[in-house]
Amino acid sequence: MSQPRKSGKRNPMGHRLKRMRDQSMRAAIPGADDAAPPSLPANVVVDCGWGRLAFAQTFESAEALVDVLRSEESTKRDIAFYIRDPHVVLAAAPQELFLDPSHTYRLDLATYRSGRTPSRGYFVRRLCSEADAKAVNRIYRARGMVPVDPEFFWRQRDSRTLTVLVVEHDDTGEILGAITGVDHSRAFKDPAHGSSLWCLAVDPRASQPGIGEALVRRLAELFQARGAAFLDLSVLHDNESAIALYEKLGFKRIPVFTLKRKNTINEKLFIGPPPEEQLNPYARIIVDEARRRGIGVEVLDAEGGFFRLSWGGRAVTCRESLSELTTAVAMSRCDDKAVTRRLMEAASVPVPRQLSARADEAERMAFLEECGSVVVKPARGEQGRGVVVGIETAADMDAALKHAASISPDVLIEECVQGDDLRVVVINDEVVAAALRKPPEILGDGERTVRELIERLSRRRAAATQGESRIPLDDETARCVRAGGFGMDDVLPRGTRLRVRRTANLHTGGTLHDVTAELGPAIAASALKAARAIDIPVAGMDFIVTDPAGDYHVFIEANERPGLANHEPQPTAERFVDLLFPLSAGRPE
């Protein structure tokens, strides 16, 4: 019986996988008997601003690579990439280095094909100004990444080794995301003609879909046009959303590794999660600042956000930004919105007209007719629960009153003042931060329904805020959608913007935009008067304004437990810890 002839056809997939494997195996730290390839410069290091990128395949020995990592600057994070045998390098400095728990992925640019990238209200371009650099740093800080000196970005503006791309909003010019690419051929005449992707970051406030994908695709197309063979990246093993994006675009895992030096920036990666890891972002930002100063931390109830700080014989129990320094009287004044409003009137802080829902129907209808548009809200409650804004009909008012009564037995009807929602954080009689709070909006793509777009935006908001911000698919959302002329199951036309909530609370999908530097003196003075009237050391004062830099403002409510993490990079956590432990202020790390 004759043997079947072997097919002469080539297996393209097998060939590509073999080539990727061979390329990755060449990208290794040489062993004791190896020498660096003669075509490569020795010991190549590229400064990326946030730290240095050491290309391990160019180093002559593990000791030489360790020496580079040892010279890492404080506040920076150096990365040794393309290490095939990390155990060899770790053995040279086991107390100083650690194996980064990241996967390496590669995109084969020979087979990559550009995807359809419809206009979504933004475009990708190169970073080209100091304002761009500052905006990128704002996004880095919001994402917990190491910021870069804006001057570094400016010095690298004509570099062919480093390429920084940003996403700009079509209408506002706001920077929504950034990505950095490294051209290996330019860096060290890489015979494999490689490139790599670093620091993909999207503004957590951005509502537009596909920003990360647009940045990755543009960078891939740029290096593909230069003749690069592949685009590599390193991503933390548990970053599921990023990994899903990369795999969707065709990236494949390769067996190379990353080493870093143990420092305070990446401490959580090599010592395991600390007890406060289970705290929410509002508690953790305070705990992190306390630890930085050497203040003791004891987590009492992670789920509830309770912890105790102790230093110099003094201990203070907190729940996020609410501490023992806030009295029960001050807290009760904040808790009852009717009481708060009366205190503001006495302190000459502007307030809207208000009516108790206990008034008879004739009074309620007269109030609605007089105001034109009203807000219904529980007298007690937080995080925007039960608040309905922009009511113009008796039927909507009745429905809103019923819903608010399920939150609190006391319900208020308030004049709906037109303008933007402004949160001012006051700590220890000082205005520390101010931010405009904007309701969530969706952008139509001509394919998905309003419901699908809301669900997608809600998932992005939840991912960006560690689950703190979601858009509820409730009657209030449906009412806002109807007010915009659509139904929940309608397909939103491409380019159409639709506001899906009237309230701007972070917990219901709102976003914050820092305006601390622009805050007008009249508004700042009212925020301080409000805090003094309530006699509270830490509070978030909410106003309706037409311009945060102007004079016009109307007080809405006070929050005794403001989310300090929402106002980075303003020093909210620093001022809070200063309040609790004044003598710890300015302590070195």
Side-chain angles (χ1 to χ4, degrees), residues 353-374:
R353 290 173 288 178
Q354 194 178 84
L355 180 72
S356 170
R358 297 182 187 275
D360 60 41
E361 184 176 359
E363 288 180 290
R364 296 199 302 267
M365 292 304 103
F367 187 76
L368 175 60
E369 185 176 354
E370 182 182 352
C371 295
S373 178
V374 299

Side-chain angles (χ1 to χ4, degrees), residues 383-387 403 440 450-451 454-455 457-459 461 468-481 488 500-503 505-510:
Q383 300 179 354
R385 286 192 292 267
V387 178
H403 178 53
V450 170
R451 186 185 306 277
I454 292 174
E455 289 173 343
L457 175 58
S458 186
R459 286 195 296 270
R461 294 293 299 134
E468 294 295 319
S469 180
R470 299 178 189 273
I471 305 171
L473 289 171
D474 58 10
D475 291 342
E476 172 61 7
T477 298
R479 186 182 73 85
C480 291
V481 169
M488 294 293 286
V500 297
R501 300 286 292 192
R502 292 291 297 272
T503 55
N505 297 76
L506 178 76
H507 292 85
T508 54

Side-chain angles (χ1 to χ4, degrees), residues 211 224 251 298 315 365 449 451:
I211 294 174
Q224 188 180 52
F251 284 81
E298 180 185 0
M365 292 304 103
T449 66
R451 186 185 306 277

